[in-house]
Amino acid sequence: MKPIIKHLLDKATNRLSHLPSARRDAEVLLCKVLGADRAYLCARSEEIVAEVQSRHFERLVSERASGWPLAYLIGVREFWSIALYVTADTLIPRPETEHLVETALRHLPSDQSCAADLGTGSGAVALAIAQERPRCQIVATDISRKALAVAERNARRLGVNQITFRQGDWCDVLADEAYDLILSNPPYIPDNDPHLSQGDLRFEPPEALRGGLDGLAAARRIIDEAPNCLNAGGWLLLEHGYDQGALVQDRLRQSGFDSIRTYSDYAGHERVTEGQHGGP
């Protein structure tokens, strides 16, 4: 029997039945293979699919059934209304990280400013800020050369030229420059957290997830180093886990920050903590 769109989708949905989004995932994967949208699948449900495309689709379904994240299989993830190219060399951008962007925008004027995004990954945060603050000069860093290549590709595709990409570890590559704002979504999951062996986290780069015994090793280092890289009155913003806000606040105080505040995400979980360095 020749492969027909509706039959391929029904078979794939059954194969992915252990996933809550089985039908949607099947449709997204077939759209990827056919270079079409979901409306096309509905309108052409009786259409025959070429054998090579059918086999490609079945391979993707098999990988999705084994747990591979949908974003990696289709190579795209939306963040801040931006379609980002993603690979297994980067974290998959998540909606809660948009709160980091929202908080940063409160402190970045529409005129000239400078910011640094540490551990940029796919470039999601830096690109979102660049979209909203086109006069802001941004340095985006990552220790992974492969992650930076993904971020640079996203910047080129979006026509963004106000971001400078640098390979290095946290504040090490900020040189002697001073910034109005430094922000980061560092690894903050404790090394023994069972979630690391579940869901999409199994396939994401561990160095972008694991934050040491208590999850805050990277956050502490950034907090300790950032004062040397901030203008007077500059801000440091960190994303963190739902139960880490108080610890991040304490470390900010120890490093001389004031105006410290923690913001919650839409689920009510503490998500972003900020601190101001010195006076205005």
Side-chain angles (χ1 to χ4, degrees):
M1 184 173 63
K2 292 185 176 180
I4 296 173
I5 285 177
K6 68 176 184 180
H7 292 159
L8 288 174
L9 287 175
D10 288 344
K11 182 179 178 181
T13 301
N14 184 61
R15 178 79 186 278
L16 301 175
S17 60
H18 60 292
L19 301 174
S21 55
R23 185 69 178 192
R24 178 185 176 279
D25 288 3
E27 291 174 350
V28 169
L29 291 174
L30 189 54
C31 285
K32 168 70 175 178
V33 170
L34 298 180
D37 56 26
R38 292 167 75 185
Y40 178 94
L41 302 184
C42 294
R44 306 290 186 89
S45 62
E46 300 288 343
E47 187 168 292
I48 295 173
V49 175
E51 285 291 341
V52 64
Q53 292 176 314
S54 175
R55 289 194 296 272
H56 184 197
F57 175 62
E58 289 173 358
R59 285 196 299 272
L60 291 177
V61 170
S62 179
E63 290 177 322
R64 181 63 183 136
S66 69
W68 269 94
L70 189 65
Y72 289 160
L73 294 176
I74 65 173
V76 177
R77 178 73 166 211
E78 184 173 298
F79 179 86
W80 202 262
S81 299
I82 302 170
L84 293 169
Y85 166 66
V86 294
T87 74
D89 295 310
T90 69
L91 284 184
I92 300 168
R94 290 169 169 79
E96 52 265 32
T97 300
E98 293 188 354
H99 292 278
L100 185 63
V101 177
E102 292 172 356
T103 307
L105 294 177
R106 297 190 189 106
H107 300 300
L108 289 172
S110 56
D111 56 3
Q112 195 70 34
S113 58
C114 55
D117 174 29
L118 308 182
T120 195
S122 65
V125 170
L127 289 164
I129 292 174
Q131 177 174 275
E132 301 296 334
R133 298 291 186 267
R135 297 186 64 187
C136 180
Q137 296 300 310
I138 304 168
V139 171
T141 77
D142 206 291
I143 197 169
S144 167
R145 178 68 251 174
K146 291 181 178 179
L148 278 180
V150 173
E152 290 170 336
R153 174 175 172 176
N154 280 320
R156 287 194 302 271
R157 186 177 58 81
L158 295 168
V160 173
N161 55 21
Q162 73 209 68
I163 303 176
T164 301
F165 295 96
R166 296 179 186 170
Q167 184 178 9
D169 201 16
W170 308 122
C171 295
D172 286 354
V173 289
L174 298 187
D176 297 322
E177 303 149 339
Y179 297 81
D180 300 313
L181 182 145
I182 295 174
L183 76 168
S184 181
N185 175 19
Y188 56 75
I189 302 176
D191 289 348
N192 62 353
D193 192 309
H195 291 95
L196 290 167
S197 61
Q198 301 170 10
D200 289 355
L201 298 185
R202 294 172 293 162
F203 301 90
E204 295 182 89
E207 63 274 14
L209 296 169
R210 296 177 179 271
L213 291 178
D214 64 353
L216 292 174
R220 281 192 293 270
R221 179 173 169 186
I222 293 169
I223 292 169
D224 292 347
E225 295 177 355
N228 297 322
C229 307
L230 282 168
N231 288 318
W235 291 88
L236 174 62
L237 279 59
L238 293 171
E239 180 174 332
H240 51 72
Y242 73 96
D243 58 351
Q244 296 171 333
L247 294 172
V248 172
Q249 286 197 18
D250 287 345
R251 191 69 174 204
L252 285 167
R253 290 190 191 94
Q254 293 170 23
S255 292
F257 287 86
D258 50 31
S259 301
I260 297 168
R261 180 176 177 181
T262 296
Y263 298 90
S264 296
D265 59 26
Y266 294 128
H269 300 140
E270 292 185 346
R271 186 60 56 191
V272 175
T273 295
E274 66 181 16
Q276 189 176 30
H277 171 59

